[in-house]
Amino acid sequence: TSPRAETLWNHALAAAVATEELARRTRRVDPGRAFLPGLFHDVGRIAFLLADEVALEVVDRLVDSGEGDRTVLEQEWYGFDHTEAAAILAEDWGLALEQCDAIRWHHDPENAGAAYELARLINAADYLAYAIGCGSTARAPEDVSVASIGLDAEGEAALIDHVRALFEDQKQLLG
């Protein structure tokens, strides 16, 4: 496995366990329907890696150096962004439309319609993945946060610790 693929996998797994945990805590989304959308939220980036690793590295470098927004750069490079690619793949793999919409809109939950709650949780889980050291790039996207979950600093720190432990457990389980 390439280091880049491992980084993307760890980010996906961390976001999945965080999305499921947030669903348990908020009780606004069935936790049984939260893990897979969290896992697949950035699968479009994995598809980009498999299709053209050099292009993905160029986009990542531009984003990390502050020279552009990821989704805009991906649109310019590929004609679509990782959220669109991920939603299409998730639909092909049989996820429910609401789950696919949450994946598509995880960087912009306000536009997710009926999938708003799940998109909001994936957005917060994306932030938590970075917070536990499982980011997929050097910098977390500016549009991810746990602000919509309504945690104070102490609650956020406790959640980060809990998600880190859940991630480590899952990583051990998956070998």
Side-chain angles (χ1 to χ4, degrees), residues 15-147:
V17 298
T19 304
E20 185 177 51
E21 180 59 22
L22 288 168
R24 270 194 207 91
R25 287 178 182 230
T26 64
R27 298 182 181 166
R28 293 178 181 248
V29 173
D30 175 6
R33 297 180 59 81
F35 186 88
L36 287 178
L39 187 69
F40 294 155
H41 80 285
D42 275 353
V43 76
R45 296 192 54 226
I46 294 170
F48 293 162
L49 172 70
L50 295 173
D52 188 349
E53 187 170 359
V54 172
L56 179 67
E57 289 175 11
V58 169
V59 170
D60 285 349
R61 273 198 307 274
L62 290 169
V63 170
D64 287 344
S65 66
E67 295 180 52
D69 174 73
R70 172 171 309 286
T71 56
V72 171
L73 291 168
E74 289 171 345
Q75 283 279 351
E76 290 172 358
W77 196 283
Y78 303 106
F80 49 91
D81 68 34
H82 73 279
T83 64
E84 293 174 72
I88 290 166
L89 288 168
E91 187 174 353
D92 285 348
W93 294 333
L95 268 67
L97 182 58
E98 181 182 336
Q99 292 171 308
C100 298
D101 285 346
I103 290 167
R104 178 175 278 113
W105 297 106
H106 76 270
H107 286 290
D108 188 12
E110 296 296 325
N111 285 313
Y116 167 75
E117 291 295 341
L118 182 54
R120 182 174 67 102
L121 296 184
I122 296 170
N123 181 280
D126 201 355
Y127 168 85
L128 290 167
Y130 277 89
I132 68 166
C134 291
S136 60
T137 57
R139 295 178 356 169
E142 292 180 17
D143 58 10
V144 299
S145 82
V146 290

